[in-house]
Amino acid sequence: MSNNILLFTIGYKNLSQLFCVPPATLSRVINKAELALESALDDEPMSRIVWPSLRDQSLWAQKVEKKNPLVKGRWGFVDGKKYRVQTPNDHELQNAYYNGWLHRVFVTGAICFGVDGTIVWFRHNCPGSWNDGETSKQFQNKLCR
């Protein structure tokens, strides 16, 4: 996971003081916890992120068209997300994560949902200054193949 410090609204320094552990220990524990969570979710079928088969894409597109006859060939929806984070001390990093429109510091991302609620694709921990189109570039490229 990139930029772990930005996952919290409180920095590692403050978090390690709060729990009375050295920052290196806190970092190691969080990294191990992320690996343990990933391992636990690997065995849980409902937690998977799966690219839908062409058959599923077709069925989902039919459901969308049935509900909205003018919308054809669409099987999923992309939405952006923003999470407020603590302002980084580094000026260049702070500038990248600052969203001028909302006047706050964020990490952002984008999620594609299938019409049945399945998470098909996601990207997170992007700079707050990026828009949904920028965070979903990899997804757009995948769709063009």
Side-chain angles (χ1 to χ4, degrees):
M1 220 176 260
S2 62
N3 299 324
N4 284 342
I5 195 165
L6 295 174
L7 290 176
F8 303 102
T9 57
I10 183 172
Y12 268 31
K13 178 181 175 184
N14 298 52
L15 198 58
S16 63
Q17 288 173 343
L18 181 67
F19 290 102
C20 301
V21 295
T25 302
L26 177 68
S27 179
R28 189 173 58 250
V29 167
I30 288 175
N31 288 335
K32 285 183 178 180
E34 288 173 348
L35 292 172
L37 178 61
E38 183 179 342
S39 176
L41 293 178
D42 278 346
D43 296 332
E44 177 53 54
M46 296 297 289
S47 72
R48 293 182 305 134
I49 296 174
V50 180
W51 191 259
S53 66
L54 290 176
R55 181 178 179 278
D56 286 340
Q57 291 175 35
S58 177
L59 290 173
W60 291 353
Q62 289 171 20
K63 288 181 181 182
V64 170
E65 189 174 344
K66 184 176 180 181
K67 179 108 174 152
N68 299 291
L70 297 176
V71 180
K72 298 182 186 310
R74 304 299 184 257
W75 52 262
F77 305 90
V78 176
D79 195 11
K81 60 184 177 64
K82 294 182 232 9
Y83 296 108
R84 283 186 64 185
V85 293
Q86 181 178 5
T87 303
N89 292 333
D90 180 275
H91 180 69
E92 288 182 18
L93 191 59
Q94 190 270 341
N95 189 44
Y97 286 85
Y98 182 76
N99 182 305
W101 182 262
L102 299 172
H103 308 289
R104 298 271 192 267
V105 178
F106 292 100
V107 291
T108 63
I111 303 174
C112 175
F113 297 94
V115 297
D116 69 347
T118 301
I119 297 176
V120 174
W121 177 92
F122 79 100
R123 183 167 182 206
H124 63 99
N125 283 352
C126 299
S129 59
W130 291 11
N131 63 32
D132 293 350
E134 187 63 35
T135 60
S136 64
K137 274 260 201 268
Q138 293 172 346
F139 180 60
Q140 295 170 42
N141 291 337
K142 185 172 180 74
L143 290 173
C144 289
R145 291 186 207 154

